[in-house]
Every structure is written in C-alpha cells, then in structure tokens.
Amino acid sequence: NVTARFTQGAGDVSDPEVSYDGRKIVFAMRCPTANVVTVGDAPACTGRWNIWEYDMTAGGFAGGAFRRLTASTSDDDVDPAYLPDGRGFVFSSNRQAKSRASQALGRAYFALDEYERERVFNLHTMNSTGGAIEQISFNQSHDRNPVVRPNGDIMFSRWEHVADRNRFAIFRAKPDG
C-alpha cells in the first residue's frame, strides 16, 4: 500500500492510470484532514478528492515519489488520465465556478444537476505541473471517466438523468473542449 502514509487506514484511492512510458501513475485520493502528514509545508489531506501522481522513475515501485497535482479544500477532482506528449491531464471535477455564458460577465456559481440537488462533474484539463486548469465540458449531468483515444480525442461517459431518461451515454471531445 504505497499511499498508506497519507491515508493511514482512513482514506480512499481511486481511478489509477499508468503513464504512456509506464513510469508514473496518476490517481485520485481522498483522506481526512485529521491525518497530519504533510507535503512540503502543507497538509497532505484536505478531506476532498484531489489528483496525485506517483513517480517510479528513480525509486522503482516501492521507492517512488508522490506529487499532489490539485489541492482543493472545497471541490472534488477525480478520474484523471494522461494526455499525450506530456501535455498534462484530463480529469472530472465539480470545481466548475463559471459557465461559458457567464464567464464574460464575471458571475461565479456552482453548476448543479438537472434537479438542483448536487454539484455536477465536468471535464477539465491541466498542464503537467497541475496548473492552467481549464474546464472543457459544460453540462447539467455528470461527465466522468475520460479516456484518451489513439487519435488524441477524449472519450467520456455522461449520466443523463432528466425526466424519464436515466442512462449513461458515451461522448467524444477534443482536449481543448
């Protein structure tokens, strides 16, 4: 259990994805703020799902190095996948604060599902250092489980649940949305 020092038996790891060269693994991890381990000078555990990377280049599987790519204390980031050519990652997040229509007006809000019960997950990308996060899908249902196809397109599932419809459909997008 390579994440035990963070989770300390009270956390979760999900969605592992191996890099194209097989030397790194990106994944989502959530651990409670009661876990006092740190990354640098900051607490490692925020109580929310964040994206992490485990690099086995120098130390092999048992001696790899951890790097937290997102550090949200109010949003959840899950389902990471590597983009080709070291361009970074695609992931799902409920961090949406603006829609394309209201970005120009500067109004912030959290996107809610069709029934306004919960915040929805939309697709986002970030660069290889965890910066330049950009939302690339805009939807009232959850966009999850992105997979990068051989041609560079992103295939993902969307939970459509409005009125009598309740299904998971498969969609495709370019990495820039």
Side-chain angles (χ1 to χ4, degrees):
N1 182 354
V2 296
T3 61
R5 74 176 193 198
F6 301 108
T7 59
Q8 299 174 357
D12 299 297
V13 173
S14 180
D15 314 311
E17 177 84 17
V18 178
S19 65
Y20 293 99
D21 64 6
R23 296 179 180 166
K24 299 176 184 177
I25 301 171
V26 66
F27 58 94
M29 183 168 65
R30 177 179 56 98
C31 47
T33 56
N35 294 5
V36 296
V37 69
T38 59
V39 172
D41 295 332
C45 298
T46 68
R48 304 303 295 221
W49 286 98
N50 283 287
I51 306 296
W52 290 72
E53 186 177 54
Y54 187 61
D55 187 345
M56 302 171 286
T57 304
F61 185 74
F66 284 95
R67 180 170 67 121
R68 186 172 59 195
L69 297 165
T70 64
S72 180
T73 59
S74 60
D75 307 310
D76 291 307
D77 301 328
V78 295
D79 299 329
Y82 287 94
L83 292 172
D85 301 325
R87 290 181 300 172
F89 309 90
V90 60
F91 64 101
S92 295
S93 179
N94 62 3
R95 69 174 49 229
Q96 176 178 339
K98 298 179 180 182
S99 74
R100 285 199 192 272
S102 69
Q103 282 180 353
L105 302 174
R107 293 183 297 198
Y109 75 98
F110 290 112
L112 300 176
D113 71 359
E114 295 93 332
Y115 303 106
E116 298 185 359
R117 295 177 297 198
E118 65 181 349
R119 293 168 52 188
V120 298
F121 284 85
N122 281 292
L123 297 184
H124 294 70
T125 58
M126 65 179 153
N127 64 25
S128 60
T129 63
I133 294 176
E134 184 175 334
Q135 184 177 339
I136 63 167
S137 74
F138 297 84
N139 183 33
Q140 286 183 307
S141 293
H142 300 280
D143 291 345
R144 299 286 308 263
N145 309 105
V147 173
V148 179
R149 300 181 43 166
N151 69 355
D153 287 354
I154 298 167
M155 184 173 65
F156 62 96
S157 64
R158 175 173 288 164
W159 181 23
E160 298 178 329
H161 61 101
V162 66
D164 61 346
R165 185 183 326 164
N166 191 4
R167 66 180 183 168
F168 287 91
I170 304 298
F171 287 83
R172 182 177 63 167
K174 298 287 184 193
D176 63 358

